[in-house]
Amino acid sequence: MSRVIIIGAGGVGNVVAKKCAQNDRVFSEVLIATRTVSKADKIVAEIKEHLPQSQTKFSTASVDADNVPALVELFNRFKPELVINVALPYQDLTIMDACLETGVHYLDTANYEPLDVAKFEYSWQWAYRERFEKAGLMALLGCGFDPGATNVFTAHHAKHHFKEIHYLDIVDCNNGNHGKAFATNFNPEINIREITANGRYYENGEWVETAPLEISQDIYYPKVQTRKSFVLYHEELESLVLNFPTIKRARFWMTFGESYIKHLSVLEGIGMTSIVPIDFRGQKIAPIEFLKAVLPAPESLAENYTGQTCIGVQAKGIGHDGQEKVHFVYNVCDHAATYREVQAQGVSYTTGVPAMIGAALMLQGVWNKVGVHNVEEFDPDPFIAEMNKWGLPVDELAGIELVRD
Ligand code: NDP
């Protein structure tokens, strides 16, 4: 029986809250705190309508998560054991500061990013290790799907299938259709910053940089389709190559449709994806923030979304029997099914469910280690068991190379 604060009431916050309501044996009291409190109120109203049997007690509050004293005041008032941060990556450090000041455990789904420069790295958050250790607190970083479940899948490969992992390929396919000309599946600003940045992968101890979307190949996604997929940098690569030092090469692949890329390159070409503020009628405004205001909100895509996501991890290396092998661990998630269940599209669902699971494992003491940690440092078995229970069934495919060298 635990008290938890969820910060953020966007696409992911909606799913986390509803999954906590389903898992009411663990989550007894939940406060949803966010900038625009009406969004949190809407989630609570939907929980009352769709999950009337849930015993979880919900309340809402307005908070500016960039403001440490405001967070401290809120945490001291509600006295949570754990904060689930599903606001934006810009708020990670202020929320971690407030957790340290009030003695609260911490979980997030995306690494800290400064507002003014698109840089995806854990250095800022890993710098909090000693302070969390000294305070006897745990911070779990990147516990969504990718990062999150993909780190768990890699740990599962290492525990159950491989003596040494040599080649790691994380693949993320969204084969869904939301019927809009152009929209992003999660926060547009974060999504576009990620895709327009240079690609990067790890090879023989070094990071190899590529132009954005420079490397591609057709990849078969089991139960879904073959889709053209592009190498881009993704944050879990940084911790995985450190925690599994036998890895010689690690890459991350994502599918993008032709129309999506065409729209994005036009928007980029005319400067609309820039994060550098310009003067507009006496106001400083970053073009990408304006673009976000024009694009459909990710949560609004959910109602008519069809198709599936397929996200998985292919590992190649030496098996426990000393033979070379290839193995794939993955999940397929259906957009229409997640809408029926929690009024969300699959991308929010695949992020929110692992966040709830990570929080539940922390609160139950199953994953329990003071300091600042990435997901792959823990036993993957209980996490995968919970994925199977809470709507993200995990599948495996042996001996077929889906991603080629
Ligand atoms: P949304 O933009 O839909 O929601 C973000 C929420 O955070 C909104 O409710 C927003 O409030 C709130 N918020 C933003 N700034 C503040 C602030 N200063 N104070 C308080 N609340 C604030 O994003 P998503 O739900 O799509 O994504 C949430 C997080 O999940 C992001 O960090 C994203 O990077 C991460 N993510 C991780 C994935 C993974 O697999 N690991 C995949 C997808 C997303 P308001 O409504 O007022 O703007």
mmCIF file of all heavy atoms in Angstrom, residues 1 7-8 100 153 211 225:
data_model
loop_
_atom_site.group_PDB
_atom_site.id
_atom_site.type_symbol
_atom_site.label_atom_id
_atom_site.label_comp_id
_atom_site.label_asym_id
_atom_site.label_seq_id
_atom_site.Cartn_x
_atom_site.Cartn_y
_atom_site.Cartn_z
ATOM 1 N N MET A 1 0.848 -1.194 0.000
ATOM 2 C CA MET A 1 0.000 0.000 0.000
ATOM 3 C C MET A 1 0.887 1.248 0.000
ATOM 4 O O MET A 1 1.622 1.478 0.950
ATOM 5 C CB MET A 1 -0.897 0.009 1.244
ATOM 6 C CG MET A 1 -1.794 -1.209 1.350
ATOM 7 S SD MET A 1 -2.988 -1.252 0.014
ATOM 8 C CE MET A 1 -4.341 -0.329 0.742
ATOM 9 N N ILE A 7 4.066 13.016 -11.901
ATOM 10 C CA ILE A 7 4.192 14.387 -12.434
ATOM 11 C C ILE A 7 4.075 14.334 -13.948
ATOM 12 O O ILE A 7 4.846 13.629 -14.615
ATOM 13 C CB ILE A 7 5.508 15.049 -11.999
ATOM 14 C CG1 ILE A 7 5.593 15.053 -10.464
ATOM 15 C CG2 ILE A 7 5.582 16.477 -12.539
ATOM 16 C CD1 ILE A 7 6.792 15.797 -9.917
ATOM 17 N N GLY A 8 3.102 15.060 -14.490
ATOM 18 C CA GLY A 8 2.829 15.061 -15.932
ATOM 19 C C GLY A 8 1.512 14.362 -16.203
ATOM 20 O O GLY A 8 1.255 13.275 -15.682
ATOM 21 N N LEU A 100 15.564 14.526 -3.321
ATOM 22 C CA LEU A 100 16.647 14.473 -2.338
ATOM 23 C C LEU A 100 16.296 15.303 -1.104
ATOM 24 O O LEU A 100 16.556 14.899 0.025
ATOM 25 C CB LEU A 100 17.947 15.017 -2.964
ATOM 26 C CG LEU A 100 18.679 14.057 -3.900
ATOM 27 C CD1 LEU A 100 19.801 14.785 -4.630
ATOM 28 C CD2 LEU A 100 19.258 12.867 -3.111
ATOM 29 N N PHE A 153 14.986 -6.300 -21.856
ATOM 30 C CA PHE A 153 15.160 -7.366 -22.856
ATOM 31 C C PHE A 153 16.649 -7.705 -23.011
ATOM 32 O O PHE A 153 17.027 -8.865 -23.173
ATOM 33 C CB PHE A 153 14.591 -6.951 -24.223
ATOM 34 C CG PHE A 153 13.078 -6.844 -24.267
ATOM 35 C CD1 PHE A 153 12.434 -6.324 -25.400
ATOM 36 C CD2 PHE A 153 12.281 -7.267 -23.212
ATOM 37 C CE1 PHE A 153 11.050 -6.231 -25.463
ATOM 38 C CE2 PHE A 153 10.894 -7.174 -23.262
ATOM 39 C CZ PHE A 153 10.279 -6.639 -24.392
ATOM 40 N N ALA A 211 24.964 11.210 -40.458
ATOM 41 C CA ALA A 211 23.999 12.292 -40.705
ATOM 42 C C ALA A 211 22.623 11.788 -40.273
ATOM 43 O O ALA A 211 22.410 10.572 -40.172
ATOM 44 C CB ALA A 211 24.000 12.640 -42.189
ATOM 45 N N GLN A 225 5.042 -6.328 -39.922
ATOM 46 C CA GLN A 225 5.339 -6.096 -41.339
ATOM 47 C C GLN A 225 6.825 -5.849 -41.525
ATOM 48 O O GLN A 225 7.539 -5.590 -40.549
ATOM 49 C CB GLN A 225 4.581 -4.857 -41.821
ATOM 50 C CG GLN A 225 4.108 -4.983 -43.237
ATOM 51 C CD GLN A 225 3.395 -3.730 -43.727
ATOM 52 O OE1 GLN A 225 3.100 -2.818 -42.993
ATOM 53 N NE2 GLN A 225 3.140 -3.703 -45.016
#
